[in-house]
Amino acid sequence: MKQREGRSRGSIEQLRSGALRVKVYAGIDPLSGKRHYLRETVPAGPKAEKEAQKVLTRLVNEVNESRNPRTNAAVGQLMDRYLEYVDVDQSTRTRYRIAIDTHIKPLLGVTPLARLNGEVLDSFYRTLRTCRDHCGGKPFVEHKTARPHTCDDSCRPHTCKPLAPASIRKIHTCLSGAMKAAIRWQWIAVNPLEQAQPPKRPPSNPHPPTLEQATAIINEAFKDLPWGMLVWVAMTTGARRGELCALRWDYLDLDNASMAVRTSIAQENGHTWEKDTKTHQQRRITLDPETVALLRIYRQHCEEEARSVGVILDADSRVFSRDVDHETWLKPSSVTQRYRRMCASLGWKMNLHQLRHYSATELIAAGVDVRTVAGRLGHGGGGTTTLRVYSAWVAEADQKAAGKLTGRMPSAPIAIDHQGNPRSPLEPDTSNPYQKIAADIRGAISAGFLPPGSTLPTVTELASRYHVSTGTAHRAIAQLQSDGLVTASRGKRATVVEQSEGSATGVTDIGTRRPS
């Protein structure tokens, strides 16, 4: 290689192929501690010299304006360093590690951060949406084992299955945290995720059990009292499975009908540990009288079992446990598996988390405000999460509220026909008996059969003539009075009032007998 031109901040070198390589010093690499250079190659050609000068100027400006990547590190190196410093729960860290090892490193691991841009990330997300195995459209056989074997029906041609939108969103969250850390560490100056189209947030579509299914589940679960109580508490409180496993007796205040949720049990493979709740917030849930009564019975049952082996239950022992002394907690995965098996025996494919959905939807359907539901479930954001997840049930409750309001509103002064069109005053609605009576009298007044000052038939006479109750006849008179056609007072018969020209709103009396 032959150096063609030098500058204080960079140089242009001619390669043996005739191409020109631009090289600019950009400081010390924070990861390796070595000198860091920006490099870019310009293909050979008649305008190569001019293009190289432009590239040199651009790279120097990027360095001067601190817009250049300050390391030669690749995406895989960033993700490893990010996991060393990120402050998350162990379960979240495990999910991040799985996402990094399964998807990020195989597709982006060797990509330099300097070359990570919106196009690369959009292609990355498209690959995940196409096939979770990153096959790239190439056919291959999925073998039952990697060891030498004779293929049988277990070895099948690969079928592309897209990665779930929720999983892609979690990968995006992991990448976002790593890129923000890279900016803080001055590895890069621009966040490439801002140049890419982020994956859409998957729509929430909870499937709570129906009332009939919930009844069958409870009846099946209570064949074993401890298991039935766990399912019942999950259904009535909406607590998460880890929170149920961590529940202690001293968290229950049965005298004041409340339950405190303070910790949760997390699990990774066979290892379990106690940690904060998912939102790192403690909450107190009010219990209904039936749940309080069942918990008292269950407490008495647990104490009798403990006494039978000479053990006394401590106040801080677990509410749900396999041990007689209730000193150990249940494993969340065991609870999930048992619930699935129970539902499978009933002919349904369900998971324990659907009981949480059942509690939320039933509360919303009962008219409980969203903020209160969010407090019971332990949702953050003051109800934002609750609204997003259960928006369909909130809309349904809103429709019920509109129906209840309509039932308490006074009758509108404009009659509406069955097609939703307003009736004209000459087309009265006679679908109800009292409206028929009022229409006949209105027609008699309009035709002059009942002149101003004349009295109407008594309520008893109208009821007998139209074969209705006296209350219906009273309602007809009240309708005419509200229309300004008659006047009535307590103890006196209704009298036709004088109508100004054009003010009478009646119909022609057709086939109506003249009232006596």
Side-chain angles (χ1 to χ4, degrees):
M1 294 183 295
K2 176 182 177 183
Q3 182 164 328
R4 294 284 301 255
E5 183 177 348
R7 289 191 177 186
S8 58
R9 294 297 299 276
S11 62
I12 300 176
E13 300 172 341
Q14 184 174 11
L15 305 179
R16 293 177 181 178
S17 62
L20 301 179
R21 182 169 64 188
V22 182
K23 180 179 178 181
V24 176
Y25 174 69
I28 302 298
D29 190 321
L31 183 62
S32 63
K34 299 179 180 179
R35 295 169 66 86
H36 174 51
Y37 292 91
L38 302 182
R39 295 179 177 88
E40 189 167 330
T41 302
V42 179
K47 297 183 179 180
E49 293 274 356
K50 187 176 181 180
E51 292 297 327
Q53 290 292 342
K54 291 181 180 180
V55 171
L56 179 61
T57 302
R58 175 170 55 81
L59 295 181
V60 170
N61 288 337
E62 287 183 2
V63 174
N64 292 335
E65 297 173 6
S66 299
R67 292 186 292 109
N68 64 293
R70 296 172 176 81
T71 178
N72 291 322
V75 175
Q77 293 174 286
L78 171 63
M79 302 311 297
D80 290 337
R81 180 62 64 88
Y82 173 65
L83 279 183
E84 293 178 10
Y85 294 103
V86 64
D87 183 17
V88 293
D89 293 335
Q90 181 60 37
S91 55
T92 304
R93 185 185 300 275
T94 300
R95 289 196 297 268
Y96 280 1
R97 171 54 68 187
I98 293 174
I100 291 171
D101 293 342
T102 306
H103 301 290
I104 297 178
K105 279 189 174 182
L107 295 175
L108 299 176
V110 298
T111 304
L113 290 174
R115 297 189 179 183
L116 192 64
N117 53 34
E119 182 181 3
V120 174
L121 289 169
D122 285 343
S123 176
F124 168 69
Y125 292 135
R126 183 190 62 187
T127 301
L128 297 180
R129 291 193 300 268
T130 303
C131 180
R132 63 181 65 189
D133 294 325
H134 326 141
C135 68
K138 298 179 181 179
F140 66 94
V141 176
E142 294 181 350
H143 295 281
K144 60 182 179 181
T145 178
R147 295 176 295 180
H149 66 282
T150 301
C151 292
D152 53 19
D153 293 340
S154 300
C155 301
R156 300 178 180 179
H158 167 70
T159 302
C160 291
K161 296 180 181 178
L163 196 63
S167 299
I168 298 177
R169 188 75 184 182
K170 291 177 181 178
I171 293 173
H172 173 77
T173 302
C174 182
L175 276 173
S176 178
M179 295 304 161
K180 291 177 181 179
I183 292 178
R184 292 197 309 270
W185 300 336
Q186 296 186 350
W187 287 25
I188 55 178
V190 179
N191 189 344
L193 285 178
E194 297 177 355
Q195 305 169 0
Q197 181 68 34
K200 296 180 181 179
R201 184 183 298 274
S204 300
N205 189 22
H207 294 284
T210 63
L211 179 60
E212 293 75 13
Q213 290 173 331
T215 302
I217 289 171
I218 288 296
N219 291 338
E220 181 68 19
F222 266 101
K223 292 179 180 179
D224 177 23
L225 179 59
W227 174 244
M229 282 306 308
L230 188 147
V231 174
W232 178 273
V233 174
M235 187 176 292
T236 56
T237 65
R240 300 178 178 92
R241 65 169 188 173
E243 296 168 347
L244 293 171
C245 294
L247 191 61
R248 299 174 181 266
W249 284 112
D250 54 359
Y251 292 173
L252 296 175
D253 186 356
L254 300 182
D255 293 334
N256 294 315
S258 66
M259 182 182 84
V261 179
R262 300 176 183 175
T263 59
S264 178
I265 302 300
Q267 181 173 358
E268 180 180 355
N269 297 326
H271 175 60
T272 59
W273 66 95
E274 191 169 12
K275 65 179 189 66
D276 290 340
T277 61
K278 184 176 181 179
T279 56
H280 305 283
Q281 295 178 350
Q282 300 182 10
R283 66 186 189 276
R284 186 173 295 275
I285 301 174
T286 302
L287 303 176
D288 60 278
E290 188 172 2
T291 301
V292 172
L294 287 173
L295 284 171
R296 291 186 187 278
I297 295 173
Y298 175 58
R299 170 76 183 194
Q300 183 179 0
H301 169 78
C302 295
E303 290 177 342
E304 291 176 354
E305 279 195 336
R307 282 196 297 269
S308 65
V309 295
V311 178
I312 298 177
L313 290 183
D314 295 331
D316 60 349
S317 58
R318 308 291 170 174
V319 176
F320 305 111
S321 175
R322 293 184 180 276
D323 299 333
V324 178
D325 58 2
H326 286 237
E327 290 298 323
T328 60
W329 54 65
L330 295 176
K331 289 185 177 181
S333 62
S334 300
V335 175
T336 297
Q337 293 167 7
R338 182 173 182 179
Y339 185 81
R340 285 179 178 173
R341 290 194 300 268
M342 180 185 69
C343 291
S345 66
L346 296 173
W348 303 315
K349 185 178 180 181
M350 294 185 177
N351 59 71
L352 186 66
H353 198 75
Q354 289 175 303
L355 295 183
R356 180 173 168 86
H357 295 321
Y358 179 83
S359 177
T361 54
E362 288 299 311
L363 289 174
I364 293 174
V368 181
D369 64 278
V370 175
R371 187 178 293 274
T372 301
V373 176
R376 289 180 65 90
L377 297 180
H379 283 163
T384 304
T385 303
T386 311
L387 278 173
R388 185 179 70 252
V389 176
Y390 304 105
S391 57
W393 281 268
V394 174
E396 182 180 349
D398 183 62
Q399 293 173 1
K400 292 180 179 179
K404 292 179 180 178
L405 179 63
T406 302
R408 300 183 65 86
M409 290 290 291
S411 300
I414 301 176
I416 308 295
D417 63 15
H418 66 280
Q419 295 180 346
N421 300 317
R423 293 178 179 270
S424 67
L426 296 180
E427 296 176 350
D429 188 352
T430 59
S431 58
N432 291 323
Y434 84 92
Q435 293 171 333
K436 170 66 171 145
I437 299 172
D440 287 349
I441 297 176
R442 188 183 295 109
I445 295 174
S446 299
F449 294 111
L450 290 174
S454 61
T455 58
L456 299 186
T458 64
V459 172
T460 303
E461 292 172 345
L462 289 174
S464 175
R465 180 179 303 175
Y466 287 92
H467 305 288
V468 297
S469 65
T470 56
T472 301
H474 267 298
R475 191 173 182 184
I477 299 299
Q479 179 67 50
L480 294 169
Q481 187 176 6
S482 65
D483 292 342
L485 298 178
V486 302
T487 179
S489 59
R490 187 177 182 86
K492 296 182 180 181
R493 294 172 63 176
T495 305
V496 180
V497 299
E498 183 73 29
Q499 296 292 315
S500 60
E501 184 178 355
S503 63
T505 57
V507 297
T508 303
D509 184 33
I510 300 178
T512 305
R513 294 177 300 172
R514 181 176 180 176
S516 58

